[in-house]
Amino acid sequence: MTGRDSGRTMDAVSGPHAGQPLLAAGAPALAADAALVVCHGRGATAQGVVNLFEPVYRHGLAVLAPQAERSRWYPRSAAAPRTENEPWLSSSVDCVAAACEAAAEIGIPPEQTVLAGFSQGACVVAEYVRRNPDRYGGLAVLSATLPGSATELEATDIDGSLAATPVLLGYGAEDPYIDPSRVAATAQIFERADAAVDERRYPETGHEVTDDEFAAIGALLETALEA
């Protein structure tokens, strides 16, 4: 990829992830027309997810990747009650907020910002959008769902509109960590908030990112760059 490869510390974040780094890559501030906020999975790193998503990078795209403390956004399963993953879950949402604020500081509004993540990192970006409804350039939830127990998901409604934000929910049919009923519940929550949900289930695919998902995210970024 071209451009910068630097970062800063997320000093405004409170809780377990306070003071962790925010990695910046891609286009420099003066040349950025859109932003990709991307979160790594459990056991991975910000640099690792920057490298993973390299197939979607475009000219004029700034990439912002927060780092979780000890490479873990929260300690329990995504299917656990949300309170059991606090204060880590709220602190991780604050990290996504810090990345979005960094995009805003270089003139990139939410509608030109695409949020994406893989596995636990995808749960985090999905939770950020649930708590902060707006018109985003897109949301890509790869091999993950919204966090919370089945009862919590059933009772969840987003307090606001996503105003036709495109939401990609992609997962493998052979992924041992994904319950299709939770994917369906997540899709319904976003649809009730006026999102345009694109659910893609890939046969003979495990816990991984597919070329089709990279292509779909690339299309979201092309639209954001042209806005």
Side-chain angles (χ1 to χ4, degrees):
M1 66 184 300
T2 60
R4 57 188 174 156
D5 185 5
S6 59
R8 62 185 186 185
T9 301
M10 296 183 287
D11 295 326
V13 171
S14 60
H17 302 301
Q20 290 297 305
L22 174 64
L23 186 65
L30 293 177
D33 296 314
L36 172 66
V37 172
V38 63
C39 287
H40 64 79
R42 184 169 182 159
T45 64
Q47 183 62 64
V49 81
V50 165
N51 297 340
L52 175 66
F53 277 74
E54 191 165 3
V56 309
Y57 294 161
R58 305 303 198 256
H59 180 73
L61 178 70
V63 181
L64 296 158
Q67 172 69 48
E69 193 266 342
R70 298 173 58 191
S71 290
R72 181 189 70 177
W73 292 111
Y74 50 81
R76 299 288 305 277
S77 163
R82 293 179 186 128
T83 54
E84 295 187 10
N85 276 316
E86 295 293 2
W88 295 270
L89 183 58
S90 289
S91 184
S92 67
V93 169
D94 285 350
C95 291
V96 180
C100 291
E101 289 166 7
E105 288 173 4
I106 60 173
I108 308 297
E111 60 267 27
Q112 290 170 249
T113 300
V114 174
L115 300 101
F118 173 68
S119 192
Q120 196 178 68
C123 296
V124 170
V125 293
E127 180 69 3
Y128 171 81
V129 170
R130 183 183 77 82
R131 297 188 189 189
N132 300 275
D134 205 335
R135 177 53 166 96
Y136 296 98
L139 168 65
V141 182
L142 310 181
S143 302
T145 67
L146 276 166
S149 68
T151 301
E152 287 173 326
L153 290 186
E154 185 178 349
T156 294
D157 273 317
I158 294 176
D159 186 17
S161 174
L162 295 176
T165 293
V167 175
L168 171 65
L169 298 177
Y171 68 103
E174 305 300 325
D175 189 338
Y177 302 106
I178 299 299
D179 179 346
S181 69
R182 291 181 56 82
V183 178
T186 298
Q188 291 167 5
I189 291 167
F190 285 128
E191 286 172 342
R192 289 197 296 270
D194 309 317
V197 177
D198 178 6
E199 182 182 332
R200 302 189 184 190
R201 182 174 185 266
Y202 300 97
E204 300 179 356
T205 301
H207 198 63
E208 58 192 275
V209 184
T210 68
D211 290 341
D212 184 74
E213 288 171 320
F214 282 137
I217 295 168
L220 295 177
L221 292 168
E222 292 283 357
T223 300
L225 286 163
E226 293 170 358

